[in-house]
Amino acid sequence: MFSDELAGNASRKRQEQAKARRRKIVEEQRKRKEGNETTYSSDKKVLQSASCRVEDTTKERKKSVPIEDFKKEFNVGIKTSKGLVVDKALEQRELRSVQKRSNLAAERIQSSFRAYVSNKKLIVEQKAILGKRLNDLVAVSKLLAKQNQKFCPPPSMVSLMLNQMLFVMHSRPRMRKIRKTKNDIGTIEFQYFSQISDSFVESDAKIIARVIEFGVIPGLLSSDRNLDPSSVWLQSAEGKIKLIKLMRLCIFLIIARQYTSTKRSDVNKQNKSSKLAASEDDVLVIYRMISIIIGRNETQHEERSEVATFCRTLFFSCRNCADYPISIGKRPIKEENLDLISLLRTFLLFPSGMKLNVIPRNADSLREKSISACDRSRADGLYNLISNLAWDRNDTVTSSRLFAEIFTVPLLTWRLEQSTIDNIVGKRSKDEKVDNPPFIYFMDAFLNVHGNSDMGECIPSDDVPVTICPSPPLLSLCANMSQLGAICPLIYDNDRLCSTVDVAIVYFKFMSLLVENTPLGSFSSRESEIGWVEEGSRLSPIVVSSIVRDQCKILLAEDFVRKVFRTALDIDVVSVDTVLHQKDEKDIKIEEELKSIQSESALSVAAKEATADHSTGFWQKSKWARNLSKKVTSLLGGNSKMSRSNDLHRESSECVSVLSTNQNSQQEKSNVKMSEGLNVKTANQHINKIQRQELLSCLTRTYAIIVSRWGGYARDIINVPATTPTVKVMERPDYSITPLLNVLCFSTSYLNISWALMQNNDALIGDLRDIVDVKKRPFPIRMTDLNSTCHKGKIDITRNMGSAFLLLMLSSLAHSLIVTDDVELHELESPLPKHQIRRCVILLKNILHRACCLDLNLEGFPKSNHVGLSLINLSAKVLRDLYDRSSRRLLCPPKLWLINDLFDSDIRKCKTYEDFCDILHHPVLRVCPFFLSFKQRLKLFDRLTTTNRESVQGRNDGHSFRPGVHIHIMRGRLIEDGLTHLNKLGPNLRQRLIVQYVNSAGATEVGLDAGGLFKEFWSDLSSQSFNPNWALFRETEDGFLYPNPSSNTAHGSDDIILFEFLGRILGKAMYENITIKPQFAHFFLSYLRGDYNFLHMLPDLSTMDRTLYNNLMFLKTYDGDAMDLCLTFAVSKDDFGSNEEISLIPGGENMDVTNSNKHRYIEMVAKYYVCDRIKDQCEAFRRGLWDVIDKKWLQIFNEPELQVVISGPNDGSIDVEDMKANTKLVGGYTVFDKNINRFWRVVKSFNAKQRAQLLRFVTSCERPPPLGFASMNPPFTIQRVPFMNNDQLPTASTCFNILKLPAYSSEKLLRDRLLYSIQSGCGFELT
């Protein structure tokens, strides 16, 4: 029973416990529900993301589950959990996850803190132990040092100290593992160094330096290799890692010795504090250790040399090398590469460690201050380490990399300390001797390594995009080298204790290579693009940095150019004068020929040249005739000069022989050779003459390339198909070249000396001979280049040296002629003596002859070089300028400009207008038409007008004439009727005009126009139109016409129409081969040709107003104060008594003329009188002229020649013998007829006026044709008329140039009747 009771109690007890547990569970569920609702409201934001995911899950389920099943589940959910079961379950899960993450974070923070505390304690303890050991080591070392003994600690002790030091420096609790991926800059080391700098403390630098000084260096210097700690570094992977970490710490200490910022945001700030910086002594210790390790060579122990090789590879092997040799075990450690040169380039380009603009935005205003002192000092330390190692070890490869990667950094001289820049250029104390500056040594190493490779491929070009660095590597290199050369005392200053100019020679040899390859923006004064970047839907140019451009142009600075050229041009003036003023037989012969025509005007000489025959004789022109003459001469025992193989070789030989003044005496020639003509100043007698010669050649080559690329001369004026320069060139002259040319022309004697050298140096003469002779240089002149070659580090500049001298000399001569007037050229013989000018003409003539004629026959040369194109362009420019000056005042005999027998056969073969146009478009007639005689060009013009006239009007044979334009002209209203009927025709004025005269009574004259009436009308019209009394033209003091500046006052707004009409009158006269009387001023004829040379304004002013010209010349040479003359920048305009003041510049009436601006005043006054005030009239006249005459037809003549084309000989004199020789006799007359003989005796007895009246009576023109009577078409004809009585008068048919002459019984009767007819002035009343 007791047991049953006990059993029942136990059963009840278990039941009660079960009920209690159920009640407790229910209570806990109720409390949890209430707690969940409270937590839900408070943590709503935390659970919002979980709710969103639940909603997304629900949506997905709605999409994937059928609608009926979804409704069932939804209804069941509502019934069982009232819609909150799923949501609350997910919320609970999310809360638990958040809580779990929070707990894990707290655990990590606690663990990290405990690790930080323990690690910090361990670091402090290890640093204290290391410090104690260092103190003991230092004490022992100093104690033994006092006894003159050296202490070398055991390698085990050194290894222990190194391990402790590396642990202290690298075990940082806050240091995180760095991702080994490239950043924007591309350097892992940069990030690593930045982390070290964030946790570096002041005492760390001293610890590193003391461990190295007292622990590592003594073992490295010990002769016992067992005491060398480095002997075991490469025996294990841990040893290699230890060595790499040690070197990394040393490099960091060097570059961060002034880097005191602890925040990345403060990197760019300039901090004057040096709290964390290592001292200079510490840095020197590190330099010493690295130098000792790397300086070991193969002659030392194998283990030591391996360490040296390992460190050199570590420091100076490019990180991008695919076959990087260093490895730890089986794993290569390419990522551990510590390439110092690449690291230095990175620091120089991006000192802040972030991808910013390489050239600071404020560089234009702040200049050097835009680079912070902190950044400059960091880069300076690393540069000194690398350069010292490369210099001390004479490491050519490292020096080459240093030059290629560091000297191509923009603004390099701003990014290093001034002391370092002084060391680079070799600046030392006054008593210290320097032979080779470091930057020249690095440059030589670069040339030795890369040799003749393309310079653009030898330097880094793709590591920095142009979007953040608007300065390509070659441009940056040019800027840096220009700056270094300008401050190097061995290049621009010879007063220092230097024995040679070898440094300057090497420098300018390299610059000749560099300027050939540098971008076009280097020396440009205008903005130049180097790339394009997309901005939305358009492209924007990336412009070259103006700061870098300015640094490049230091090479062209006047002071720099003046000093270097004066160093090279220090030649004895007496010897140069001897060469330039010495004359040979050819010079004397040319001068005698010139004296014979010196008294004649240029117009008279041109008129004579129109009928002169310069063609080569039969025995010289025919090949078989030359051979026959040669054989006959040989039979007679003579020696003929015609035995040369071809004319080209003869002309080239004559050209080059002209350049040598002393052909008969080799001894005299050797006395003035370039190598022996150099004389040195007393202060610099130590400088070798040969070195000066070489320096002059280097300077000439460098600046000749600059002039050819940036001078605007590299244009193809010959228009050879598919010829383009190999490099980019300036299409227009750049203003930056002007200072260079100013120095060469006006501050040095380069022009005279270079021209003298070209006549006396065998090498230069040989080069010039090659230029002229197509046999010796079988490729076109346009392909001439100045590309230097490099072999084993030596640059060869001897090739085409004559072209370089000639190009720079011609550019100087062209620049000098800009400011040289006729008085200076002829009387003062400046810039060169006149006989030397003639020699230059001969040389340039042969160069252009080959370029325009002979080179066109050479095939297979599609490309051109800017040097060859510039040489052709400059030759044409100088030769054309000299020819224009000779057309004003004879400088050379006319035949000196000619190329014999040029185009003779071609012109004879031409039949149609198109054939003659092909000749007109030939390069010779476009570039240098004066190579053809005036007579040849006049014939070409005659054939052009004749063939074109026949194609428009039809042939003058009476059958193929096309219908012309009929006009009625009253003899008393020639100008009015002509303007009414003709001006509206415009270009159609080329059509045939049929003139019907109306007399004063209004009756139509009986004459029929078959050409004669038109010629009579046009002669009378031109005579009246160009009459100065009509107020459209004025006369100069010499009687030449130019447009009246006051024509608007006299004729109102119609003056422009009248000038266009007068232009058409002149054009029609030239088109119909009618010579008219008006003669125009020289400058006005230049306007008509369409290429007026504004450099001739002052000489033109002298012909217009001699008094004004003399006043301006007085002002130009006035020694006193120009303000005393009370002149302003204004002139007075006098129009028929009304005065008006014209300002030459805005506000000119209030601006005084001073000594500083008087040259500008003179130019502006000349420009106003010669150009500005008649500009509208000249343009209107030219428009009318060009309506009828193509301007290309006019441009083959100079001004005097064009005047001869217009009006024939200037005095209008008639050559009776020429007229007699070309007269046709018809109707029974013969040359033996006594009446014809009487007629010629009568004509010879006439004066000039009577002869002109006779010519007008027969041909309607009183002036003979320019080519003489042989060119008259129809020819001058005398027809026999039966004699009826003594009252019968001679008559004429002007349409056919026929004089109908009766057979008079006596000479007196013939004279009287002939004079009566030609002087009556009647029309057809006497017919």
Side-chain angles (χ1 to χ4, degrees), residues 491-527:
I491 293 177
Y492 77 97
D493 187 3
N494 286 316
D495 293 332
R496 299 183 60 83
L497 298 177
C498 55
S499 58
T500 65
V501 291
D502 286 339
V503 173
I505 291 173
V506 174
Y507 172 78
F508 281 105
K509 281 184 178 180
F510 179 78
M511 294 305 294
S512 67
L513 280 175
L514 186 56
V515 297
E516 177 70 27
N517 297 278
T518 190
L520 195 59
S522 302
F523 301 102
S524 175
S525 58
R526 298 181 287 269
E527 291 185 346

Side-chain angles (χ1 to χ4, degrees), residues 408 455-456 459-460 471-479 514 517-519 522 552:
T408 55
M455 186 176 295
I459 60 177
S471 176
L474 280 176
L475 177 60
S476 301
L477 178 62
C478 183
L514 186 56
N517 297 278
T518 190
S522 302
C552 289

Side-chain angles (χ1 to χ4, degrees), residues 515-571:
V515 297
E516 177 70 27
N517 297 278
T518 190
L520 195 59
S522 302
F523 301 102
S524 175
S525 58
R526 298 181 287 269
E527 291 185 346
S528 178
E529 55 86 16
I530 55 174
W532 297 83
V533 62
E534 292 186 5
E535 292 184 357
S537 59
R538 62 187 182 90
L539 293 176
S540 298
I542 301 175
V543 181
V544 174
S545 170
S546 59
I547 297 294
V548 180
R549 286 207 326 264
D550 293 341
Q551 290 184 345
C552 289
K553 286 188 284 189
I554 292 177
L555 196 65
L556 303 179
E558 292 187 1
D559 186 61
F560 178 75
V561 175
R562 186 182 299 110
K563 287 183 179 179
V564 295
F565 267 98
R566 284 181 177 177
T567 301
L569 291 173
D570 190 13
I571 301 179

Side-chain angles (χ1 to χ4, degrees), residues 1094-1108:
F1094 289 90
L1095 302 179
H1096 298 162
M1097 290 186 298
L1098 277 175
D1100 290 335
L1101 181 63
S1102 66
T1103 62
M1104 179 186 293
D1105 191 336
R1106 190 70 187 178
T1107 302
L1108 178 59

